[in-house]
Every structure is written in C-alpha cells, then in structure tokens.
Amino acid sequence: MDWARTSVRTVRGRAAAAWSVVDGTTRLSVGVPVGATAEVHVPAADRSAVASPAGAKGVRSEPGFVVYAVPHGSWEFVARV
C-alpha cells in the first residue's frame, strides 16, 4: 500500500490523517480540530530524518517513530525512509 487517508467526526470537529510513500519519502498530513491536541507518530528512524512544521514539538522517539505534539490546525510532516 502506497497511501491511505481517513477522517472521523469528534465532539470537537473533524480529525483527519493521510499519508503517502513516494520514492522513499513519507508524507504525513494531519488535521486536528479546534480545541484539541494530538500526538503525531511519524515513521522515521530518528528526528534528523523528519522535516517537521514550525509549531510541532518533538516529544520522544519510539522504535520506528518520532513523536510530535501539535495543537489544532493542519500539519504536514516529511520523513526519509
């Protein structure tokens, strides 16, 4: 599978996520509803492999993922696989 996307209505509004992999690069887009926060798990070996948007806070690494905390809004992350 090279891409996927989904969304769900929450009590705060629509939450969405989409990802694609092209030529060894993963693009991950996340939509967080107003009044909510999210932890975004970006598939990457380490933080140096991820281009994160301004305002996203790196909170930890887990095996195979770098985790960011984000407030409401639209966010896009790019990671080299």
PDB file of all heavy atoms in Angstrom, residues 40-66:
ATOM      1  N   VAL A  40       1.459  13.024  17.074  1.00  0.00           N
ATOM      2  CA  VAL A  40       1.622  12.515  15.720  1.00  0.00           C
ATOM      3  C   VAL A  40       2.838  11.602  15.705  1.00  0.00           C
ATOM      4  O   VAL A  40       3.944  12.028  16.045  1.00  0.00           O
ATOM      5  CB  VAL A  40       1.809  13.674  14.720  1.00  0.00           C
ATOM      6  CG1 VAL A  40       1.951  13.141  13.308  1.00  0.00           C
ATOM      7  CG2 VAL A  40       0.635  14.657  14.809  1.00  0.00           C
ATOM      8  N   HIS A  41       2.639  10.361  15.305  1.00  0.00           N
ATOM      9  CA  HIS A  41       3.714   9.371  15.234  1.00  0.00           C
ATOM     10  C   HIS A  41       4.197   9.305  13.791  1.00  0.00           C
ATOM     11  O   HIS A  41       3.518   8.754  12.933  1.00  0.00           O
ATOM     12  CB  HIS A  41       3.215   8.005  15.698  1.00  0.00           C
ATOM     13  CG  HIS A  41       2.849   7.977  17.145  1.00  0.00           C
ATOM     14  ND1 HIS A  41       3.498   7.164  18.039  1.00  0.00           N
ATOM     15  CD2 HIS A  41       1.939   8.666  17.863  1.00  0.00           C
ATOM     16  CE1 HIS A  41       2.985   7.350  19.250  1.00  0.00           C
ATOM     17  NE2 HIS A  41       2.033   8.260  19.157  1.00  0.00           N
ATOM     18  N   VAL A  42       5.364   9.885  13.539  1.00  0.00           N
ATOM     19  CA  VAL A  42       5.931   9.940  12.197  1.00  0.00           C
ATOM     20  C   VAL A  42       6.881   8.762  12.020  1.00  0.00           C
ATOM     21  O   VAL A  42       7.810   8.598  12.810  1.00  0.00           O
ATOM     22  CB  VAL A  42       6.689  11.274  11.978  1.00  0.00           C
ATOM     23  CG1 VAL A  42       7.259  11.340  10.578  1.00  0.00           C
ATOM     24  CG2 VAL A  42       5.767  12.458  12.256  1.00  0.00           C
ATOM     25  N   PRO A  43       6.645   7.917  10.998  1.00  0.00           N
ATOM     26  CA  PRO A  43       7.530   6.767  10.804  1.00  0.00           C
ATOM     27  C   PRO A  43       8.915   7.215  10.324  1.00  0.00           C
ATOM     28  O   PRO A  43       9.065   7.711   9.209  1.00  0.00           O
ATOM     29  CB  PRO A  43       6.805   5.927   9.743  1.00  0.00           C
ATOM     30  CG  PRO A  43       5.891   6.874   9.050  1.00  0.00           C
ATOM     31  CD  PRO A  43       5.569   7.961  10.022  1.00  0.00           C
ATOM     32  N   ALA A  44       9.905   7.114  11.197  1.00  0.00           N
ATOM     33  CA  ALA A  44      11.279   7.508  10.882  1.00  0.00           C
ATOM     34  C   ALA A  44      12.212   6.905  11.912  1.00  0.00           C
ATOM     35  O   ALA A  44      11.818   6.649  13.051  1.00  0.00           O
ATOM     36  CB  ALA A  44      11.411   9.032  10.886  1.00  0.00           C
ATOM     37  N   ALA A  45      13.454   6.715  11.516  1.00  0.00           N
ATOM     38  CA  ALA A  45      14.451   6.130  12.417  1.00  0.00           C
ATOM     39  C   ALA A  45      14.840   7.103  13.528  1.00  0.00           C
ATOM     40  O   ALA A  45      15.067   6.698  14.664  1.00  0.00           O
ATOM     41  CB  ALA A  45      15.682   5.719  11.629  1.00  0.00           C
ATOM     42  N   ASP A  46      14.941   8.403  13.192  1.00  0.00           N
ATOM     43  CA  ASP A  46      15.291   9.408  14.193  1.00  0.00           C
ATOM     44  C   ASP A  46      14.832  10.782  13.731  1.00  0.00           C
ATOM     45  O   ASP A  46      14.401  10.951  12.595  1.00  0.00           O
ATOM     46  CB  ASP A  46      16.784   9.400  14.518  1.00  0.00           C
ATOM     47  CG  ASP A  46      17.648   9.635  13.305  1.00  0.00           C
ATOM     48  OD1 ASP A  46      17.401  10.604  12.549  1.00  0.00           O
ATOM     49  OD2 ASP A  46      18.584   8.847  13.093  1.00  0.00           O
ATOM     50  N   ARG A  47      14.929  11.755  14.610  1.00  0.00           N
ATOM     51  CA  ARG A  47      14.421  13.104  14.338  1.00  0.00           C
ATOM     52  C   ARG A  47      15.118  13.771  13.152  1.00  0.00           C
ATOM     53  O   ARG A  47      14.521  14.589  12.457  1.00  0.00           O
ATOM     54  CB  ARG A  47      14.575  13.962  15.593  1.00  0.00           C
ATOM     55  CG  ARG A  47      13.669  15.174  15.584  1.00  0.00           C
ATOM     56  CD  ARG A  47      13.693  15.909  16.879  1.00  0.00           C
ATOM     57  NE  ARG A  47      12.991  15.127  17.892  1.00  0.00           N
ATOM     58  CZ  ARG A  47      12.866  15.472  19.141  1.00  0.00           C
ATOM     59  NH1 ARG A  47      13.405  16.592  19.568  1.00  0.00           N
ATOM     60  NH2 ARG A  47      12.222  14.716  19.996  1.00  0.00           N
ATOM     61  N   SER A  48      16.378  13.430  12.896  1.00  0.00           N
ATOM     62  CA  SER A  48      17.099  14.045  11.780  1.00  0.00           C
ATOM     63  C   SER A  48      16.525  13.646  10.424  1.00  0.00           C
ATOM     64  O   SER A  48      16.782  14.321   9.423  1.00  0.00           O
ATOM     65  CB  SER A  48      18.592  13.700  11.844  1.00  0.00           C
ATOM     66  OG  SER A  48      18.791  12.324  11.596  1.00  0.00           O
ATOM     67  N   ALA A  49      15.745  12.580  10.367  1.00  0.00           N
ATOM     68  CA  ALA A  49      15.133  12.126   9.114  1.00  0.00           C
ATOM     69  C   ALA A  49      13.782  12.786   8.847  1.00  0.00           C
ATOM     70  O   ALA A  49      13.152  12.524   7.832  1.00  0.00           O
ATOM     71  CB  ALA A  49      14.967  10.605   9.140  1.00  0.00           C
ATOM     72  N   VAL A  50      13.321  13.660   9.756  1.00  0.00           N
ATOM     73  CA  VAL A  50      11.986  14.251   9.650  1.00  0.00           C
ATOM     74  C   VAL A  50      12.077  15.757   9.449  1.00  0.00           C
ATOM     75  O   VAL A  50      12.783  16.448  10.177  1.00  0.00           O
ATOM     76  CB  VAL A  50      11.155  13.972  10.930  1.00  0.00           C
ATOM     77  CG1 VAL A  50       9.781  14.618  10.833  1.00  0.00           C
ATOM     78  CG2 VAL A  50      11.035  12.480  11.177  1.00  0.00           C
ATOM     79  N   ALA A  51      11.318  16.253   8.465  1.00  0.00           N
ATOM     80  CA  ALA A  51      11.106  17.696   8.306  1.00  0.00           C
ATOM     81  C   ALA A  51       9.757  17.974   8.945  1.00  0.00           C
ATOM     82  O   ALA A  51       8.725  17.529   8.453  1.00  0.00           O
ATOM     83  CB  ALA A  51      11.108  18.078   6.841  1.00  0.00           C
ATOM     84  N   SER A  52       9.783  18.665  10.074  1.00  0.00           N
ATOM     85  CA  SER A  52       8.551  18.939  10.814  1.00  0.00           C
ATOM     86  C   SER A  52       8.183  20.412  10.667  1.00  0.00           C
ATOM     87  O   SER A  52       9.062  21.263  10.549  1.00  0.00           O
ATOM     88  CB  SER A  52       8.701  18.570  12.286  1.00  0.00           C
ATOM     89  OG  SER A  52       9.723  19.332  12.877  1.00  0.00           O
ATOM     90  N   PRO A  53       6.898  20.723  10.697  1.00  0.00           N
ATOM     91  CA  PRO A  53       6.485  22.122  10.556  1.00  0.00           C
ATOM     92  C   PRO A  53       6.756  22.921  11.833  1.00  0.00           C
ATOM     93  O   PRO A  53       6.826  22.361  12.930  1.00  0.00           O
ATOM     94  CB  PRO A  53       4.984  22.014  10.284  1.00  0.00           C
ATOM     95  CG  PRO A  53       4.573  20.725  10.916  1.00  0.00           C
ATOM     96  CD  PRO A  53       5.757  19.817  10.798  1.00  0.00           C
ATOM     97  N   ALA A  54       6.879  24.232  11.672  1.00  0.00           N
ATOM     98  CA  ALA A  54       7.023  25.113  12.829  1.00  0.00           C
ATOM     99  C   ALA A  54       5.795  24.957  13.712  1.00  0.00           C
ATOM    100  O   ALA A  54       4.680  24.861  13.219  1.00  0.00           O
ATOM    101  CB  ALA A  54       7.168  26.555  12.377  1.00  0.00           C
ATOM    102  N   GLY A  55       6.013  24.864  15.009  1.00  0.00           N
ATOM    103  CA  GLY A  55       4.915  24.699  15.951  1.00  0.00           C
ATOM    104  C   GLY A  55       4.716  23.275  16.419  1.00  0.00           C
ATOM    105  O   GLY A  55       4.049  23.028  17.415  1.00  0.00           O
ATOM    106  N   ALA A  56       5.299  22.312  15.704  1.00  0.00           N
ATOM    107  CA  ALA A  56       5.246  20.918  16.139  1.00  0.00           C
ATOM    108  C   ALA A  56       6.398  20.696  17.119  1.00  0.00           C
ATOM    109  O   ALA A  56       7.539  21.059  16.857  1.00  0.00           O
ATOM    110  CB  ALA A  56       5.376  19.971  14.954  1.00  0.00           C
ATOM    111  N   LYS A  57       6.092  20.119  18.260  1.00  0.00           N
ATOM    112  CA  LYS A  57       7.097  19.906  19.303  1.00  0.00           C
ATOM    113  C   LYS A  57       7.475  18.429  19.366  1.00  0.00           C
ATOM    114  O   LYS A  57       6.627  17.569  19.611  1.00  0.00           O
ATOM    115  CB  LYS A  57       6.529  20.364  20.654  1.00  0.00           C
ATOM    116  CG  LYS A  57       7.487  20.182  21.795  1.00  0.00           C
ATOM    117  CD  LYS A  57       6.855  20.602  23.110  1.00  0.00           C
ATOM    118  CE  LYS A  57       7.792  20.286  24.254  1.00  0.00           C
ATOM    119  NZ  LYS A  57       7.134  20.491  25.543  1.00  0.00           N
ATOM    120  N   GLY A  58       8.752  18.132  19.133  1.00  0.00           N
ATOM    121  CA  GLY A  58       9.233  16.758  19.274  1.00  0.00           C
ATOM    122  C   GLY A  58       9.199  16.354  20.729  1.00  0.00           C
ATOM    123  O   GLY A  58       9.787  17.045  21.565  1.00  0.00           O
ATOM    124  N   VAL A  59       8.490  15.267  21.054  1.00  0.00           N
ATOM    125  CA  VAL A  59       8.362  14.881  22.459  1.00  0.00           C
ATOM    126  C   VAL A  59       9.115  13.605  22.808  1.00  0.00           C
ATOM    127  O   VAL A  59       9.539  13.440  23.941  1.00  0.00           O
ATOM    128  CB  VAL A  59       6.881  14.755  22.891  1.00  0.00           C
ATOM    129  CG1 VAL A  59       6.218  16.123  22.910  1.00  0.00           C
ATOM    130  CG2 VAL A  59       6.100  13.805  22.022  1.00  0.00           C
ATOM    131  N   ARG A  60       9.278  12.706  21.845  1.00  0.00           N
ATOM    132  CA  ARG A  60      10.032  11.479  22.150  1.00  0.00           C
ATOM    133  C   ARG A  60      10.238  10.670  20.871  1.00  0.00           C
ATOM    134  O   ARG A  60       9.629  10.927  19.850  1.00  0.00           O
ATOM    135  CB  ARG A  60       9.325  10.629  23.195  1.00  0.00           C
ATOM    136  CG  ARG A  60       8.018  10.020  22.750  1.00  0.00           C
ATOM    137  CD  ARG A  60       7.367   9.169  23.858  1.00  0.00           C
ATOM    138  NE  ARG A  60       6.089   8.677  23.426  1.00  0.00           N
ATOM    139  CZ  ARG A  60       4.947   9.354  23.451  1.00  0.00           C
ATOM    140  NH1 ARG A  60       4.919  10.600  23.903  1.00  0.00           N
ATOM    141  NH2 ARG A  60       3.819   8.818  23.021  1.00  0.00           N
ATOM    142  N   SER A  61      11.083   9.669  20.985  1.00  0.00           N
ATOM    143  CA  SER A  61      11.266   8.686  19.924  1.00  0.00           C
ATOM    144  C   SER A  61      10.817   7.341  20.446  1.00  0.00           C
ATOM    145  O   SER A  61      10.995   7.034  21.638  1.00  0.00           O
ATOM    146  CB  SER A  61      12.734   8.600  19.506  1.00  0.00           C
ATOM    147  OG  SER A  61      13.129   9.792  18.878  1.00  0.00           O
ATOM    148  N   GLU A  62      10.229   6.561  19.582  1.00  0.00           N
ATOM    149  CA  GLU A  62       9.844   5.182  19.871  1.00  0.00           C
ATOM    150  C   GLU A  62      10.425   4.337  18.759  1.00  0.00           C
ATOM    151  O   GLU A  62      10.767   4.874  17.702  1.00  0.00           O
ATOM    152  CB  GLU A  62       8.318   5.058  19.920  1.00  0.00           C
ATOM    153  CG  GLU A  62       7.684   5.847  21.042  1.00  0.00           C
ATOM    154  CD  GLU A  62       6.163   5.708  21.103  1.00  0.00           C
ATOM    155  OE1 GLU A  62       5.576   5.051  20.214  1.00  0.00           O
ATOM    156  OE2 GLU A  62       5.577   6.260  22.044  1.00  0.00           O
ATOM    157  N   PRO A  63      10.557   3.043  18.933  1.00  0.00           N
ATOM    158  CA  PRO A  63      11.123   2.224  17.860  1.00  0.00           C
ATOM    159  C   PRO A  63      10.361   2.423  16.540  1.00  0.00           C
ATOM    160  O   PRO A  63       9.172   2.146  16.451  1.00  0.00           O
ATOM    161  CB  PRO A  63      10.966   0.793  18.381  1.00  0.00           C
ATOM    162  CG  PRO A  63      10.968   0.939  19.877  1.00  0.00           C
ATOM    163  CD  PRO A  63      10.247   2.252  20.121  1.00  0.00           C
ATOM    164  N   GLY A  64      11.061   3.001  15.555  1.00  0.00           N
ATOM    165  CA  GLY A  64      10.480   3.208  14.235  1.00  0.00           C
ATOM    166  C   GLY A  64       9.672   4.484  14.074  1.00  0.00           C
ATOM    167  O   GLY A  64       9.167   4.762  12.988  1.00  0.00           O
ATOM    168  N   PHE A  65       9.543   5.292  15.133  1.00  0.00           N
ATOM    169  CA  PHE A  65       8.724   6.503  15.064  1.00  0.00           C
ATOM    170  C   PHE A  65       9.370   7.655  15.834  1.00  0.00           C
ATOM    171  O   PHE A  65      10.039   7.447  16.839  1.00  0.00           O
ATOM    172  CB  PHE A  65       7.341   6.278  15.683  1.00  0.00           C
ATOM    173  CG  PHE A  65       6.519   5.281  14.938  1.00  0.00           C
ATOM    174  CD1 PHE A  65       6.525   3.944  15.304  1.00  0.00           C
ATOM    175  CD2 PHE A  65       5.730   5.682  13.866  1.00  0.00           C
ATOM    176  CE1 PHE A  65       5.760   3.018  14.610  1.00  0.00           C
ATOM    177  CE2 PHE A  65       4.959   4.766  13.175  1.00  0.00           C
ATOM    178  CZ  PHE A  65       4.983   3.428  13.546  1.00  0.00           C
ATOM    179  N   VAL A  66       9.101   8.867  15.355  1.00  0.00           N
ATOM    180  CA  VAL A  66       9.398  10.084  16.103  1.00  0.00           C
ATOM    181  C   VAL A  66       8.043  10.696  16.424  1.00  0.00           C
ATOM    182  O   VAL A  66       7.183  10.818  15.549  1.00  0.00           O
ATOM    183  CB  VAL A  66      10.260  11.064  15.284  1.00  0.00           C
ATOM    184  CG1 VAL A  66      10.545  12.317  16.079  1.00  0.00           C
ATOM    185  CG2 VAL A  66      11.558  10.396  14.861  1.00  0.00           C
TER     186      VAL A  66
END
